[in-house]
Amino acid sequence: MSEDLASLPAPAHYVSKAPFDPYAVEADADSAFGHASQLKLTWWRFRRHRLALISGVLLLIAYCTIAVVEFLAPYNVHTRNVDRIYAPPQQVHFFHDGSFVGPFVYGRTMELDMETLRRVYSENTDEVQKLRFFCRGDGYRFWGFIDGNVHLACPAEGGDMFLLGTDRLGRDVLSRILYGARVSLTIGLLGVMTSFVLGIVIGGLAGYWGGWFDLAVQRVTEVLHSIPSIPLWLAMAAIMPADWSPLFVYLGITFILGLLDWTGLARAVRSKLLALREEDYVLAAQMMGAGSSRIIGRHLIPGFMSHLIASATLTIPGMILGETTLSFLGLGLRPPITSWGVLLTEARTVNVIALYPWLLFPVVPVIVIILAFNFLGDGLRDAADPYN
């Protein structure tokens, strides 16, 4: 038996005889991930969340459009077409009588039903109104400073183009939705800035210092949480004087929404800092002479940045809904300011919704934007989580 084992060939020797390099393994094994920054790792993880990536692109496009809304809207926000009151949406066609014409709409005629006093619109398929692009149309003041009249798309000369219909004053619903996006989307950003400044500062100090300041903050947040949100919104909105300019009303609504939403974030920041302030690296920073603001901002807050990102993406749609609710109830923004909530006031009654359902179109961007923020928040939270 021993002779048989001795006759077997010696096993191959796999140990390298080269000098040992302790950094060679790290350099060879996934060097890109090993030396990437935290921001780059977050971006790589975020790209794998397809739904969040698509939502981020959608929100980026939405916020880019509000910068050039005067150019994108086919009509001025205040343009009235008295001959097209409560006109239904028009359909864009490309072919007429079997031949390609390009994007166009058919002309329409209006008749008044004497029994119901309702305007009845009918298409005239013999009248082709070809749409114009990069054309001159209604005048406007770009961001209220620069005069212009160039639009992305315009109706034919002497024709109409109401892709989403008109309201009770003959104003184009599509143009008013585009103009309303500027107010409804920015009010969420301004409100969340106010909320985050108050929540992070007050909650961070309460969690880091503790003591009487922590007790006072907890009692204030409990009192604010015990008050129903909608009556509190109504009371705060009613405080604003009726003679304020639309700009001051807009800033007031933004401040109210941010002032009432900081309590939840402050409690979350406080609870997290209570756990993190006992860590060794916090004690080391204190022994090196670092101040409270530096420890909180440089060492503690980055530890739960994923939670802050998720809170921001959930707070913004909440504030958009808050503005929409206040404006719909008539206690928020008021004309001549145009927002999605103001537009929805046109569809308050069941009769209007039954006869003119296209007046509910402003609720579509509200739903889309809120869902996009939620999906984006999920993706950013998972990507920024250092323990993921």
CSV table of all heavy atoms in Angstrom, one decimal, residues 228-257:
chain,number,residue,atom,x,y,z
A,228,PRO,N,-55.3,69.1,14.7
A,228,PRO,CA,-55.6,68.5,13.4
A,228,PRO,C,-55.0,69.4,12.3
A,228,PRO,O,-55.0,70.7,12.4
A,228,PRO,CB,-57.1,68.5,13.3
A,228,PRO,CG,-57.5,68.5,14.7
A,228,PRO,CD,-56.5,69.2,15.5
A,229,SER,N,-54.4,68.8,11.3
A,229,SER,CA,-53.6,69.6,10.3
A,229,SER,C,-54.5,70.5,9.4
A,229,SER,O,-54.1,71.7,9.3
A,229,SER,CB,-52.9,68.6,9.4
A,229,SER,OG,-53.7,67.7,8.7
A,230,ILE,N,-55.6,70.0,8.9
A,230,ILE,CA,-56.4,70.8,8.0
A,230,ILE,C,-57.0,72.1,8.7
A,230,ILE,O,-56.9,73.2,8.2
A,230,ILE,CB,-57.5,70.0,7.4
A,230,ILE,CG1,-56.9,69.0,6.4
A,230,ILE,CG2,-58.5,70.9,6.6
A,230,ILE,CD1,-57.9,68.1,5.7
A,231,PRO,N,-57.6,71.9,9.9
A,231,PRO,CA,-58.0,73.2,10.6
A,231,PRO,C,-56.9,74.1,10.9
A,231,PRO,O,-57.1,75.4,10.9
A,231,PRO,CB,-58.7,72.6,11.9
A,231,PRO,CG,-59.1,71.3,11.6
A,231,PRO,CD,-58.1,70.7,10.6
A,232,LEU,N,-55.7,73.6,11.2
A,232,LEU,CA,-54.6,74.4,11.5
A,232,LEU,C,-54.1,75.2,10.2
A,232,LEU,O,-53.8,76.4,10.3
A,232,LEU,CB,-53.4,73.6,12.0
A,232,LEU,CG,-52.2,74.4,12.5
A,232,LEU,CD1,-52.5,75.4,13.6
A,232,LEU,CD2,-51.1,73.4,13.0
A,233,TRP,N,-54.2,74.5,9.1
A,233,TRP,CA,-53.9,75.1,7.8
A,233,TRP,C,-54.9,76.3,7.5
A,233,TRP,O,-54.5,77.4,7.1
A,233,TRP,CB,-53.9,74.1,6.7
A,233,TRP,CG,-52.8,73.2,6.6
A,233,TRP,CD1,-51.6,73.2,7.3
A,233,TRP,CD2,-52.7,72.0,5.8
A,233,TRP,NE1,-50.8,72.2,7.0
A,233,TRP,CE2,-51.4,71.4,6.0
A,233,TRP,CE3,-53.5,71.5,4.8
A,233,TRP,CZ2,-51.0,70.3,5.4
A,233,TRP,CZ3,-53.1,70.3,4.1
A,233,TRP,CH2,-51.8,69.7,4.4
A,234,LEU,N,-56.1,76.0,7.8
A,234,LEU,CA,-57.2,77.0,7.5
A,234,LEU,C,-57.0,78.2,8.4
A,234,LEU,O,-57.2,79.3,7.9
A,234,LEU,CB,-58.5,76.4,7.7
A,234,LEU,CG,-58.9,75.1,6.8
A,234,LEU,CD1,-60.3,74.7,7.1
A,234,LEU,CD2,-58.8,75.5,5.3
A,235,ALA,N,-56.7,78.0,9.7
A,235,ALA,CA,-56.5,79.1,10.6
A,235,ALA,C,-55.3,79.9,10.2
A,235,ALA,O,-55.4,81.2,10.2
A,235,ALA,CB,-56.3,78.6,12.0
A,236,MET,N,-54.2,79.3,9.8
A,236,MET,CA,-53.0,80.0,9.5
A,236,MET,C,-53.2,80.8,8.2
A,236,MET,O,-52.7,81.9,8.0
A,236,MET,CB,-51.8,79.1,9.4
A,236,MET,CG,-51.4,78.4,10.7
A,236,MET,SD,-50.7,79.5,11.9
A,236,MET,CE,-49.1,79.8,11.1
A,237,ALA,N,-53.9,80.1,7.2
A,237,ALA,CA,-54.1,80.8,5.9
A,237,ALA,C,-55.1,82.0,6.1
A,237,ALA,O,-55.0,83.0,5.4
A,237,ALA,CB,-54.7,79.8,4.9
A,238,ALA,N,-56.0,81.9,7.0
A,238,ALA,CA,-57.0,83.0,7.3
A,238,ALA,C,-56.3,84.2,7.9
A,238,ALA,O,-56.9,85.3,7.9
A,238,ALA,CB,-58.1,82.5,8.1
A,239,ILE,N,-55.2,84.0,8.5
A,239,ILE,CA,-54.5,85.1,9.2
A,239,ILE,C,-53.9,86.1,8.2
A,239,ILE,O,-53.9,87.3,8.4
A,239,ILE,CB,-53.3,84.6,10.1
A,239,ILE,CG1,-53.9,83.7,11.2
A,239,ILE,CG2,-52.4,85.7,10.6
A,239,ILE,CD1,-52.8,83.1,12.1
A,240,MET,N,-53.6,85.6,7.0
A,240,MET,CA,-53.0,86.5,6.0
A,240,MET,C,-54.0,87.5,5.5
A,240,MET,O,-55.1,87.2,5.2
A,240,MET,CB,-52.5,85.7,4.8
A,240,MET,CG,-51.3,84.8,5.1
A,240,MET,SD,-50.6,84.0,3.7
A,240,MET,CE,-52.0,82.9,3.2
A,241,PRO,N,-53.6,88.8,5.5
A,241,PRO,CA,-54.6,89.8,5.0
A,241,PRO,C,-55.1,89.6,3.6
A,241,PRO,O,-54.3,89.1,2.7
A,241,PRO,CB,-53.8,91.1,5.2
A,241,PRO,CG,-52.6,90.8,6.1
A,241,PRO,CD,-52.3,89.3,5.9
A,242,ALA,N,-56.3,90.0,3.4
A,242,ALA,CA,-56.9,89.8,2.0
A,242,ALA,C,-56.3,90.8,1.0
A,242,ALA,O,-56.4,90.6,-0.2
A,242,ALA,CB,-58.4,90.0,2.1
A,243,ASP,N,-55.7,91.9,1.5
A,243,ASP,CA,-55.2,92.9,0.5
A,243,ASP,C,-53.7,92.6,0.2
A,243,ASP,O,-53.1,93.5,-0.4
A,243,ASP,CB,-55.3,94.3,1.1
A,243,ASP,CG,-54.7,94.4,2.5
A,243,ASP,OD1,-54.3,93.4,3.1
A,243,ASP,OD2,-54.5,95.6,3.0
A,244,TRP,N,-53.2,91.5,0.6
A,244,TRP,CA,-51.8,91.2,0.2
A,244,TRP,C,-51.7,90.9,-1.3
A,244,TRP,O,-52.6,90.4,-1.9
A,244,TRP,CB,-51.3,90.0,1.0
A,244,TRP,CG,-50.7,90.3,2.3
A,244,TRP,CD1,-50.8,91.5,3.0
A,244,TRP,CD2,-50.0,89.4,3.2
A,244,TRP,NE1,-50.2,91.4,4.2
A,244,TRP,CE2,-49.7,90.2,4.4
A,244,TRP,CE3,-49.5,88.1,3.1
A,244,TRP,CZ2,-48.9,89.6,5.4
A,244,TRP,CZ3,-48.8,87.5,4.1
A,244,TRP,CH2,-48.5,88.3,5.3
A,245,SER,N,-50.5,91.2,-1.8
A,245,SER,CA,-50.3,91.0,-3.2
A,245,SER,C,-50.1,89.5,-3.4
A,245,SER,O,-49.8,88.7,-2.5
A,245,SER,CB,-49.0,91.7,-3.7
A,245,SER,OG,-47.8,91.1,-3.0
A,246,PRO,N,-50.3,89.0,-4.7
A,246,PRO,CA,-50.2,87.5,-4.9
A,246,PRO,C,-48.8,87.0,-4.5
A,246,PRO,O,-48.7,85.9,-4.1
A,246,PRO,CB,-50.4,87.4,-6.4
A,246,PRO,CG,-51.3,88.6,-6.8
A,246,PRO,CD,-50.8,89.7,-5.8
A,247,LEU,N,-47.7,87.8,-4.7
A,247,LEU,CA,-46.4,87.3,-4.3
A,247,LEU,C,-46.3,87.1,-2.8
A,247,LEU,O,-45.7,86.1,-2.4
A,247,LEU,CB,-45.4,88.4,-4.8
A,247,LEU,CG,-43.9,88.0,-4.4
A,247,LEU,CD1,-43.5,86.7,-5.0
A,247,LEU,CD2,-43.0,89.2,-4.8
A,248,PHE,N,-46.8,88.0,-2.0
A,248,PHE,CA,-46.8,87.8,-0.6
A,248,PHE,C,-47.7,86.7,-0.1
A,248,PHE,O,-47.3,86.0,0.9
A,248,PHE,CB,-47.2,89.1,0.2
A,248,PHE,CG,-46.1,90.2,0.2
A,248,PHE,CD1,-46.2,91.3,-0.6
A,248,PHE,CD2,-45.0,90.0,1.1
A,248,PHE,CE1,-45.2,92.2,-0.6
A,248,PHE,CE2,-44.0,91.0,1.1
A,248,PHE,CZ,-44.1,92.1,0.3
A,249,VAL,N,-48.8,86.5,-0.8
A,249,VAL,CA,-49.6,85.3,-0.5
A,249,VAL,C,-48.9,84.0,-0.8
A,249,VAL,O,-48.9,83.0,0.0
A,249,VAL,CB,-50.9,85.4,-1.2
A,249,VAL,CG1,-51.7,84.1,-1.1
A,249,VAL,CG2,-51.8,86.5,-0.8
A,250,TYR,N,-48.1,84.0,-1.9
A,250,TYR,CA,-47.4,82.8,-2.3
A,250,TYR,C,-46.3,82.5,-1.2
A,250,TYR,O,-46.1,81.4,-0.8
A,250,TYR,CB,-46.7,83.0,-3.6
A,250,TYR,CG,-45.7,82.0,-4.0
A,250,TYR,CD1,-46.1,80.8,-4.5
A,250,TYR,CD2,-44.4,82.3,-4.0
A,250,TYR,CE1,-45.1,79.8,-4.9
A,250,TYR,CE2,-43.4,81.4,-4.4
A,250,TYR,CZ,-43.8,80.2,-4.8
A,250,TYR,OH,-42.9,79.2,-5.2
A,251,LEU,N,-45.6,83.6,-0.8
A,251,LEU,CA,-44.5,83.4,0.2
A,251,LEU,C,-45.1,83.0,1.6
A,251,LEU,O,-44.5,82.2,2.3
A,251,LEU,CB,-43.7,84.7,0.3
A,251,LEU,CG,-42.9,85.1,-0.9
A,251,LEU,CD1,-42.1,86.4,-0.7
A,251,LEU,CD2,-41.9,84.0,-1.3
A,252,GLY,N,-46.3,83.6,1.9
A,252,GLY,CA,-46.9,83.2,3.1
A,252,GLY,C,-47.4,81.8,3.2
A,252,GLY,O,-47.2,81.1,4.2
A,253,ILE,N,-47.9,81.3,2.1
A,253,ILE,CA,-48.3,79.9,2.0
A,253,ILE,C,-47.1,79.0,2.2
A,253,ILE,O,-47.1,77.9,2.9
A,253,ILE,CB,-49.1,79.6,0.7
A,253,ILE,CG1,-50.4,80.3,0.7
A,253,ILE,CG2,-49.3,78.1,0.6
A,253,ILE,CD1,-51.4,79.8,1.8
A,254,THR,N,-46.0,79.3,1.5
A,254,THR,CA,-44.8,78.5,1.6
A,254,THR,C,-44.3,78.5,3.0
A,254,THR,O,-43.9,77.4,3.5
A,254,THR,CB,-43.7,79.1,0.7
A,254,THR,OG1,-44.2,79.2,-0.7
A,254,THR,CG2,-42.5,78.3,0.7
A,255,PHE,N,-44.3,79.6,3.7
A,255,PHE,CA,-43.8,79.7,5.1
A,255,PHE,C,-44.7,78.9,6.0
A,255,PHE,O,-44.2,78.2,6.9
A,255,PHE,CB,-43.7,81.1,5.5
A,255,PHE,CG,-43.2,81.3,6.9
A,255,PHE,CD1,-41.9,81.0,7.2
A,255,PHE,CD2,-44.1,81.6,8.0
A,255,PHE,CE1,-41.4,81.2,8.5
A,255,PHE,CE2,-43.6,81.8,9.3
A,255,PHE,CZ,-42.3,81.5,9.5
A,256,ILE,N,-46.0,78.9,5.8
A,256,ILE,CA,-46.9,78.2,6.6
A,256,ILE,C,-46.7,76.7,6.5
A,256,ILE,O,-46.6,75.9,7.5
A,256,ILE,CB,-48.4,78.6,6.3
A,256,ILE,CG1,-48.7,80.0,6.8
A,256,ILE,CG2,-49.3,77.6,6.9
A,256,ILE,CD1,-50.0,80.5,6.4
A,257,LEU,N,-46.6,76.2,5.2
A,257,LEU,CA,-46.4,74.8,5.0
A,257,LEU,C,-45.0,74.3,5.6
A,257,LEU,O,-45.0,73.2,6.2
A,257,LEU,CB,-46.4,74.5,3.5
A,257,LEU,CG,-47.8,74.7,2.8
A,257,LEU,CD1,-47.6,74.5,1.3
A,257,LEU,CD2,-48.8,73.8,3.4
